[in-house]
Amino acid sequence: QVQLQESGPRLVNPSETLSLTCAVSGFSISSGDYWGWIRQPPGKGLEWIGSLYHTGTTYYSPSVKSRVTISVDTSKNQFSLKLSSVTAADTAVYFCARDRGSGWPDWGQGTLVTVSS
Amino acid sequence: QSALTQPASVSGSPGQSITISCTGTSSDVGSDNFVSWYQQHPGKAPKIMIYEGSKRPPGVSNRFSGSKSGNTASLTISGLQAEDEADYYCCSYARSRDSSVFGVGTKVTVL
């Protein structure tokens, strides 16, 4: 059973960089599949941020492409999200998940990140 | 890319069937059979209910079914139960753009 767990600061200052890590257990990232990040502002819908293949190839949403970096550390079986120059609009629950293209079968529990001074 | 269009809300009585639509474009929903559907209860992570348009993952009730026609995908819940009350999201993978897009979400209410 694949399990994912997000971790990182819950409060980020405006204009700074949001950083989150997703630890994966029950499956080796280097074995394949895509891995991605999805966010959900309070009371709103889901938004795809980007996905990464285990080789390091990345795909980003046009809405955040200029500010986002997703990377992988196969030695630790985890992948990370960095979102720069954040504003209050980036306040959301951030989910990491396994992306099979045909669907997202496995999700982390999500972590609320608030952008505020 | 714009979010896929879904009705804001759908309701039904226990035992009835309801259908949620998800409309995109020929570049996403209409291009491949990579539409998936998610159920989300308040405060919880989304749960996949349908993948590749009409396939159910192990453990998902056969009361949930998916289909597609042109640029519109649909999720049907038959024999509606109180536990089905939740938000539902569609998602489409657009191979030509190597991107995913979610629907705006539909709140299902069991009357």
Side-chain angles (χ1 to χ4, degrees):
Chain A
Q1 181 182 359
V2 181
Q3 293 186 313
L4 300 94
Q5 179 67 57
E6 305 91 348
S7 63
R10 308 300 172 91
L11 182 64
V12 182
N13 291 319
S15 80
E16 296 190 346
T17 297
L18 179 158
S19 296
L20 293 172
T21 296
C22 181
V24 179
S25 59
F27 187 91
S28 173
I29 287 179
S30 58
S31 295
D33 276 344
Y34 289 79
W35 305 86
W37 291 93
I38 295 153
R39 68 181 179 180
Q40 185 172 34
K44 297 187 178 181
L46 301 170
E47 178 188 14
W48 173 71
I49 298 172
S51 297
L52 163 147
Y53 195 51
H54 70 97
T55 57
T57 303
T58 53
Y59 308 93
Y60 300 133
S61 168
S63 66
V64 296
K65 188 173 184 177
S66 62
R67 301 191 291 129
V68 68
T69 302
I70 297 176
S71 59
V72 63
D73 186 339
T74 53
S75 67
K76 295 181 178 179
N77 213 40
Q78 62 186 33
F79 60 103
S80 300
L81 169 72
K82 290 188 184 299
L83 185 65
S84 64
S85 304
V86 297
T87 68
D90 295 308
T91 293
V93 174
Y94 286 77
F95 296 98
C96 60
R98 179 160 71 146
D99 176 6
R100 310 213 73 181
S102 57
W104 302 74
D106 304 295
W107 295 66
Q109 64 184 20
T111 186
L112 174 63
V113 179
T114 302
V115 178
S116 175
S117 55
Chain B
Q1 59 193 37
S2 300
L4 305 176
T5 300
Q6 296 180 235
S9 63
V10 174
S11 61
S13 300
Q16 287 186 330
S17 293
I18 61 170
T19 296
I20 304 167
S21 60
C22 169
T23 302
T25 69
S26 57
S27 297
D28 39 60
V29 175
S31 65
D32 287 299
N33 210 23
F34 290 143
V35 175
S36 50
W37 288 90
Y38 303 85
Q39 176 192 67
Q40 186 181 34
H41 287 109
K44 300 294 186 181
K47 173 188 175 183
I48 190 167
M49 307 302 282
I50 296 288
Y51 68 101
E52 289 184 16
S54 61
K55 298 179 180 179
R56 276 189 307 275
V60 172
S61 171
N62 59 8
R63 297 186 298 105
F64 291 84
S65 61
S67 62
K68 191 185 82 167
S69 177
N71 297 337
T72 298
S74 298
L75 174 72
T76 297
I77 309 174
S78 58
L80 200 61
Q81 298 180 1
E83 66 207 49
D84 301 331
E85 187 162 290
D87 293 325
Y88 291 81
Y89 295 89
C90 60
C91 180
S92 177
Y93 171 67
R95 184 173 11 203
S96 61
R97 299 196 301 262
D98 276 320
S99 66
S100 292
V101 59
F102 283 90
V104 297
T106 297
K107 182 175 181 59
V108 168
T109 301
V110 181
L111 302 173

